[in-house]
């Protein structure tokens, strides 16, 4: 058996590295080189998936597990019987199909080569380097660790990238033909077959162990191709992880698992981009909106079959970045921006008595002041109806006001006038002919604006209105022409809900620095509210968008393909979904830092702004209830609050959301720590032992159920530890604490303890003088709460007490 190559030989030979974008010019560094030697996979040929085994899902009639086990068995047999360290593909299929005839195996091998050709491409900078080498008179050879032989590898390159790329190669050396890889001396055989001295050869590859340590000892110049920077490598691994949880590895579909067709463009562009905000745009938003635009073009072509012209109407503000990407890719169509907010669309749809009645019934949950603004009532009227009234009474007063005939006529007249101005706004942007199609482009996710304006525009302009969204998850069956890049045709409901949960971060990165439209002049000119986004937030967003557009420029210069894969649409859809979900649930530290100060505007005709995330508030929430703190908060990007936590917690958060876990806080309570408590009842003291359950970061939640009683409770905390850190002591409704509902405001009443045998060194830091030290808790009355619980969240410090 051949021993591994030692790196201690030929110490005088140069070793260097280069980024992918530097490949075309590297020969200038080596003026005496006569042979360019290249690794193949991940240097010349790149796959559209994260790892080589992800392609095995696309093999017809062969399971990935069968393919991998067969290869492992073939290698083991070769090693033990012949001392061979590499095997050809026919030996692998002999183990996969031990009872098949030669013709069947040959067919399976041909199918694998065809799948590789569909999902491989040549890396354009490497091809540029090869062409430069040929112009300089250098020979170009491939030295590859592969189970393919020379003819099969050349066939694959020609199939994936074209005969012209394959024609640049003078000779191919495959490890399977010499039964050993580069790390075990393959290059010794390469040197015997190449008419050049070792110091006249430059070898380039992405695998440092194989392409540098395995080659340099033979006196050959080596250049390590740094395929991905560490943060991008981590991002792609996380995207692969997310893809596995989103899609699994369905068999029998002859499709890639964990597709990543954007890998080459990221490798090419990101090393040239030092700015964190631009890197975020290039690495995440670039692939997402490039894939979205490619899908939109296919949808526009399909809509054109209806007859008439298709007009692309990008809905501002969130459609701003999709429009910029569309123009950067190359817009040869009717693409325009229009401004229709939910507030203007909603009111403009109230042109009939029935529409107004239905709207008032459907908006029962909206409080009176906000509803009054949606109905465009003046501030004096809203104050008259709401001032001094509780929310329910104010809502009832507004309802009665709307039932008065004169008031209804006023609302309907104002709505019809706005509808006329809104139609003028659309006509101002594009003057469609009857029968044309207006394709509304937006991020989504319900298509509410389309629900309101489609009948209006259809009647006013005689057009067909089609909504095309990045994410579509309708809350009702609207019956309108709607589709989404991500929609129920391709994703289950839980996956769509998961993606929609944190869409606010995407909205803030895709928008533009203008206020929301609140009305239109008679000629359709939009009238906007003041822009509420901070200057700093706008500057970061602009840099992110610039990075997104840079990705578009790198896509075309990163790959050379003979033909696109048959399932290109699915490849990009799944890769984009994994990338978006990864940002939403597993953001990287530099991404969180980039958007740390972002706020989200609700855009319902109000000035309401909410922070995207708050790590400090999250830390307290985790200590009190673990991940279930999230159900009681209104912040918009909660996974970013976990970015500093351990990966198991972050993956648990993603998995629970992805699979719509029905677990409650009560289901995850575990642990065997108990605390003695004494309930001071009128008839005497009642001693109990209550469990203290782990929450997060070493904290425990001591839950003391009181029911309808309101008796004082003595918590013998000294029995647990000499020193304890107190996070909170509160009284809560039992059901609300154990079974938190989504968006339910937490009802927590602080409880101030009386300490006995406890010294408080600092707020929340207690020193228990003995095992019998206790805190006396007097529960509040809370007469409207039938089932009350006292909760003390604490962390023992140091050694536990010994009784």
């Amino acid at each position: 058996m051949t021993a591994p190559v030692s790196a201690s030989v030929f110490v005088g030979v140069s070793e260097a590295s280069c980024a992918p974008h530097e490949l075309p010019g590297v020969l200038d560094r080596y003026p005496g080189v006569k042979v360019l030697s290249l690794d193949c996979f991940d240097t010349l040929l790149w796959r559209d998936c994260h790892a080589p085994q992800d392609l095995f899902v696309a093999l017809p009639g062969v399971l990935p597990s069968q393919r991998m086990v067969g290869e492992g068995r073939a290698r083991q047999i070769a090693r033990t019987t012949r001392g061979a360290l590499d095997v050809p593909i026919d030996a692998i299929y002999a183990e996969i199909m031990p009872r098949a005839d030669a013709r069947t195996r040959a067919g399976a091998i041909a199918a694998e080569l065809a799948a590789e050709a569909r999902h491989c491409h040549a890396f354009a900078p490497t091809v540029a380097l090869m062409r430069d080498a040929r112009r300089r008179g250098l020979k170009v050879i491939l030295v590859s660790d592969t189970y393919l032989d020379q003819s099969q590898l050349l066939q694959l390159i020609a199939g994936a990238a074209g005969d012209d790329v394959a024609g640049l190669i003078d000779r191919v050396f495959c490890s399977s033909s010499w039964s050993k890889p580069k790390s075990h001396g393959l290059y010794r055989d390469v040197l015997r077959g190449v008419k050049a001295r070792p110091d006249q050869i430059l070898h380039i590859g992405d695998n440092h162990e194989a392409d540098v340590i395995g080659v340099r000892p033979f006196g050959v110049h080596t250049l390590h191709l740094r395929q991905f920077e560490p943060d991008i490598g981590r991002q792609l691994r996380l995207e692969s992880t997310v893809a596995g949880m989103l899609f699994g590895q369905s068999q029998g579909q002859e499709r890639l698992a964990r597709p990543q067709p954007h890998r080459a463009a990221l490798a090419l562009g990101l090393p040239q981009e030092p700015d964190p905000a631009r890197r975020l745009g290039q690495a995440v938003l670039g692939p997402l909106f490039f894939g979205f635009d490619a899908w939109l073009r296919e949808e526009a072509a399909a809509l054109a079959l209806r007859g008439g012209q298709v007009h692309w109407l990008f809905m501002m503000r969130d459609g701003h970045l999709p429009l910029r990407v569309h123009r950067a890719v190359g817009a040869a169509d009717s693409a325009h921006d229009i401004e229709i907010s939910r507030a203007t669309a909603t009111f403009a749809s109230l042109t009939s008595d029935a529409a107004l009645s239905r709207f008032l019934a459907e908006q029962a949950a909206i409080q009176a002041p906000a509803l009054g603004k949606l109905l465009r009532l003046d501030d004096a009227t809203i104050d008259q109806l709401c001032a001094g009234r509780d929310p329910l009474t104010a809502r009832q007063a507004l309802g009665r006001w709307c039932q008065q005939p004169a008031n209804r006529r006023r609302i309907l007249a104002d709505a019809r006038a706005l509808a006329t101005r809104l139609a003028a706004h659309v006509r101002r942007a594009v003057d469609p002919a009857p029968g044309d199609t207006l394709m509304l482009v937006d991020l989504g996710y319900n298509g509410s604006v389309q629900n309101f304006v489609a009948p209006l525009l259809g009647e006013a302009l005689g057009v067909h209105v089609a909504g095309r969204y990045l994410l579509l998850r309708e809350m009702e069956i609207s019956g309108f022409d709607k589709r989404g890049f991500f929609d129920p045709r391709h994703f289950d409901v839980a996956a769509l809900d998961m993606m929609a949960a944190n869409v606010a971060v995407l909205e803030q990165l895709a928008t533009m620095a203008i206020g929301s439209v609140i009305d239109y002049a008679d000629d359709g000119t939009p009238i906007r509210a003041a822009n509420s986004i901070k200057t700093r937030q706008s500057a970061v967003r602009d840099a992110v968008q610039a990075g997104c557009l840079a990705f578009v420029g790198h896509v075309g210069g990163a790959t050379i393909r003979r033909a696109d894969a048959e399932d290109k649409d699915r490849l990009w859809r799944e890769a984009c979904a994994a990338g978006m979900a990864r940002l939403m649930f597993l953001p990287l530290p530099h991404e969180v830092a980039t958007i740390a100060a972002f706020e989200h505007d609700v855009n319902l005709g109000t000035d309401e702004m909410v922070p995207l995330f708050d790590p400090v508030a999250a830390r307290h929430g985790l200590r009190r209830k673990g991940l279930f703190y999230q159900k009681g908060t209104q912040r918009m990007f909660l996974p970013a609050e976990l970015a500093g936590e351990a990966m198991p917690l972050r993956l648990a958060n993603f998995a629970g959301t992805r699979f719509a876990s029905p677990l409650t806080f009560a289901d995850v309570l575990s642990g065997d720590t108990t605390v003695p408590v004494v309930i001071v009842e009128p008839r005497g003291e009642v001693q109990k032992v209550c469990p203290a359950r782990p929450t997060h970061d070493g904290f425990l939640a001591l839950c003391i159920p009181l029911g309808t009683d309101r008796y004082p409770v003595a918590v013998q905390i000294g029995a647990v530890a000499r020193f304890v850190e107190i996070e909170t002591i509160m009284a809560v409704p039992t059901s609300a604490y154990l079974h938190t509902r989504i968006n339910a405001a937490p009802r927590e009443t602080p409880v101030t303890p009386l300490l006995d045998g406890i010294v408080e060194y600092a707020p929340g830091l207690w020193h228990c003088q003995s095992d019998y030290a206790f805190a006396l808790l007097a529960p509040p009355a809370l007469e409207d709460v039938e089932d009350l619980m006292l909760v003390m969240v604490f962390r023992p410090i140091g050694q536990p007490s010994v009784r």
Side-chain angles (χ1 to χ4, degrees):
M1 185 177 295
T2 306
V5 175
S6 172
S8 63
V9 186
F10 299 109
V11 293
V13 180
S14 64
E15 175 190 346
S17 65
C18 74
H21 70 279
E22 297 173 325
L23 279 171
V26 297
L27 290 179
D28 290 336
R29 309 183 193 175
Y30 302 91
V33 163
K34 295 184 178 179
V35 177
L36 174 63
S37 171
L38 296 172
D39 171 51
C40 184
F41 292 100
D42 290 324
T43 300
L44 172 58
L45 282 189
W46 292 37
R47 295 181 177 93
D48 287 329
C49 50
H50 182 257
Q53 59 266 29
D54 293 333
L55 185 134
F56 294 160
V57 181
L59 304 182
V62 177
L63 300 179
S65 57
Q66 294 170 336
R67 176 62 177 77
M68 289 186 284
V69 168
E71 181 173 344
R73 187 182 295 123
R75 291 183 181 278
Q76 183 179 15
I77 292 172
R79 186 180 301 111
T80 56
T81 60
R82 299 185 289 110
L85 297 178
D86 214 337
V87 295
I89 194 170
D90 57 349
I92 294 173
Y93 272 87
E95 298 304 318
I96 297 172
M97 304 174 165
R99 282 167 284 279
D101 56 35
R103 182 175 180 180
T104 301
R105 291 176 188 165
I109 293 172
E112 178 167 331
L113 284 171
E116 287 272 20
R118 287 196 305 273
H119 297 298
C120 282
H121 58 84
F123 189 48
T126 306
V127 175
L129 169 62
M130 295 165 68
R131 289 184 172 136
D132 184 43
R134 296 302 293 266
R135 283 193 297 268
R136 295 171 183 246
L138 276 65
K139 288 187 176 181
V140 177
I141 65 173
L142 284 190
V143 184
S144 177
D145 289 342
T146 178
Y147 38 74
L148 303 180
D149 62 26
Q150 288 87 332
S151 63
Q152 290 169 334
L153 190 56
L154 282 172
Q155 175 190 342
L156 173 58
I157 295 169
D163 292 331
D164 58 327
V165 175
L168 296 171
I169 303 167
D170 294 294
R171 190 164 180 185
V172 176
F173 297 86
C174 296
S175 60
S176 60
S177 300
W178 275 268
S179 300
K180 56 189 172 185
K182 283 172 279 189
S183 61
H184 282 72
L186 172 60
Y187 224 87
R188 182 179 291 108
D189 299 281
V190 173
L191 291 175
R192 294 192 186 107
V194 176
K195 294 181 180 179
R197 298 194 312 269
D199 63 348
Q200 293 176 326
I201 301 174
L202 169 64
H203 178 76
I204 303 175
D206 69 292
N207 188 311
H208 188 269
E209 180 178 356
D211 295 305
V212 176
I213 296 177
V215 175
R216 186 182 55 182
F218 294 100
V220 174
H221 297 289
T222 59
L223 189 63
H224 178 221
L225 173 62
R226 303 189 308 274
Q227 189 182 26
F228 295 110
E229 297 174 308
D231 62 330
I232 295 304
R234 183 183 181 195
Q235 174 185 319
L236 292 173
R237 289 191 297 274
L238 290 174
E239 288 181 6
S240 175
T241 301
V242 169
M245 298 178 74
L246 271 178
F247 312 111
Q249 292 193 25
S250 302
Q251 306 300 329
Q253 297 187 26
E254 299 182 15
R255 51 179 286 276
L256 281 181
R258 298 178 170 90
Q260 293 182 345
H262 56 300
R263 296 171 78 247
L266 297 187
L268 176 62
L270 284 169
Q272 306 176 64
E273 184 52 73
D275 179 71
R278 288 177 61 99
R279 288 176 69 88
L280 168 59
Q282 191 171 154
V284 184
L285 269 62
L288 177 64
F289 286 111
F290 178 81
F292 181 40
D293 184 73
W295 173 75
L296 286 172
R297 291 170 188 268
E298 294 180 358
E299 290 296 308
L303 287 170
L305 299 177
R306 300 180 70 259
Q309 185 175 358
V310 177
H311 305 277
W312 298 47
L313 300 184
F314 289 83
M315 305 284 286
M316 299 295 113
R317 297 172 290 175
D318 296 348
H320 173 66
L321 184 55
L323 175 57
R324 295 187 69 188
V325 170
H326 179 67
R327 288 173 172 164
V329 172
D333 41 50
S334 177
H336 308 273
D337 59 287
I338 61 170
E339 298 180 44
I340 306 177
S341 64
R342 278 180 288 173
T344 57
T346 299
F347 190 71
S349 70
L350 307 180
T351 56
S352 69
D353 194 73
L356 178 57
S357 297
R358 179 181 177 183
F359 171 76
L360 292 172
E362 291 176 343
Q363 304 304 319
I366 297 183
Q367 293 191 354
L371 182 59
K373 288 186 176 294
L374 287 176
L375 293 172
R376 304 172 77 83
L377 305 185
D378 58 78
D379 292 340
T381 302
I382 294 175
D383 288 343
Q384 178 184 351
L385 294 171
C386 301
R389 292 187 170 98
D390 61 72
L392 178 59
T393 305
R395 187 66 173 78
Q396 293 170 342
L398 178 58
R400 290 191 297 269
W401 188 90
C402 291
Q403 293 301 324
Q404 297 176 16
N407 295 336
R408 291 180 76 85
R409 287 194 297 270
R410 170 186 162 189
I411 293 173
L412 294 176
D414 289 347
R416 293 181 186 122
L418 179 60
T420 299
R421 296 193 296 273
L422 190 153
H425 171 67
V426 175
R427 188 179 287 109
R428 186 173 185 267
V430 53
D431 190 15
D436 284 358
T437 295
L438 303 183
M439 186 173 77
L440 306 183
V441 179
D442 200 0
L443 299 187
Y445 52 95
N446 182 55
S448 301
V449 168
Q450 183 183 354
N451 293 348
F452 293 128
V453 303
L456 184 160
L457 297 177
E459 179 179 352
L461 305 176
V463 295
H464 173 69
V465 178
R468 295 298 181 263
Y469 304 96
L470 178 71
L471 170 63
L472 179 63
R473 185 202 60 167
E474 283 196 282
M475 296 293 98
E476 62 181 27
I477 302 176
S478 67
F480 292 115
D481 183 354
K482 294 182 183 179
R483 287 196 177 199
F485 189 36
F486 311 141
D487 69 14
R489 294 171 302 148
H490 308 287
F491 298 88
D492 59 76
V493 173
L496 291 172
D497 287 345
M498 176 270 298
M499 287 187 276
N502 297 291
V503 75
V505 65
L506 203 62
E507 293 172 346
Q508 287 305 316
L509 291 172
T511 191
M512 62 188 305
I514 60 172
S516 181
V517 63
I518 56 176
D519 206 337
Y520 309 93
D522 290 340
D523 66 351
T525 302
I527 300 172
R528 308 182 186 100
N531 177 29
S532 55
I533 302 298
K534 298 177 180 177
T535 301
R536 168 60 181 160
Q537 181 168 331
S538 294
V540 172
R541 182 207 57 236
D542 291 346
V544 170
Q545 293 185 8
C548 176
L549 298 179
F551 174 87
V552 175
H554 292 307
V555 167
T559 61
I560 296 176
R561 298 178 185 269
R562 189 183 69 170
D564 285 330
E566 297 174 0
D567 54 355
K568 178 182 177 182
D569 181 65
R570 185 199 62 78
L571 286 178
W572 279 95
R573 176 181 288 107
E574 293 190 2
C576 291
M580 185 176 79
R582 197 280 311 161
L583 173 67
M584 289 179 170
F585 283 88
L586 300 173
L588 296 171
H590 71 272
E591 295 169 337
V592 173
T594 297
I595 59 174
F598 272 36
E599 293 180 326
H600 179 67
D601 54 328
V602 178
N603 190 23
L604 277 173
T606 71
D607 296 327
E608 183 180 356
M609 301 289 295
V610 293
L612 284 180
F613 58 96
D614 185 342
V616 175
R619 190 176 308 117
H620 292 295
L622 285 168
R623 292 174 174 181
R624 297 180 183 195
K625 297 192 66 176
L627 283 173
F628 290 91
Y629 86 90
Q630 295 183 343
K631 292 188 176 182
T633 182
Q634 300 295 318
R635 295 185 297 276
M636 308 298 289
F637 190 19
L638 297 177
E641 300 180 342
L642 307 179
E645 303 296 337
M647 185 58 70
L649 183 72
R650 303 175 70 195
L651 286 174
N653 181 50
F654 173 58
T657 309
R658 162 65 184 97
F659 298 109
S661 168
L663 295 175
T664 69
F665 183 53
D667 296 319
V668 299
L669 293 176
S670 62
D672 56 4
T673 301
T674 58
V675 181
V677 301
V678 178
I679 301 177
V680 186
E681 297 184 1
R683 61 178 180 270
E685 298 178 349
V686 178
Q687 296 185 355
K688 300 177 63 176
V689 175
C690 291
R693 310 298 194 184
T695 55
H696 179 71
D697 201 22
F699 280 85
L700 305 172
L702 170 65
C703 300
I704 309 170
L706 297 180
T708 58
D709 298 328
R710 299 295 186 268
Y711 303 130
V713 176
V715 179
Q716 191 180 331
I717 194 66
V720 178
R722 282 288 182 263
F723 292 89
V724 292
E725 178 183 355
I726 303 298
E727 167 66 25
T728 186
I729 303 174
M730 57 187 174
V732 296
T734 300
S735 179
Y737 185 73
L738 296 179
H739 307 282
T740 308
R741 300 292 186 264
I742 294 176
N743 292 332
R747 185 162 183 194
E748 303 170 350
T749 303
V751 175
T752 301
L754 294 177
L755 306 181
D756 190 297
I758 299 174
V759 177
E760 187 170 28
Y761 287 144
L765 179 60
W766 293 356
H767 177 202
C768 300
Q769 304 294 305
S770 72
D771 292 353
Y772 300 98
F774 67 87
L776 183 66
L777 311 181
L782 299 180
E783 296 180 356
D784 59 332
V785 178
E786 296 183 358
D787 193 1
L788 188 68
M789 175 182 287
L790 290 177
V791 178
M792 175 188 285
V793 180
F794 68 95
R795 176 167 58 184
I797 301 175
Q799 297 296 322
S801 295
V802 179
R803 302 192 64 185

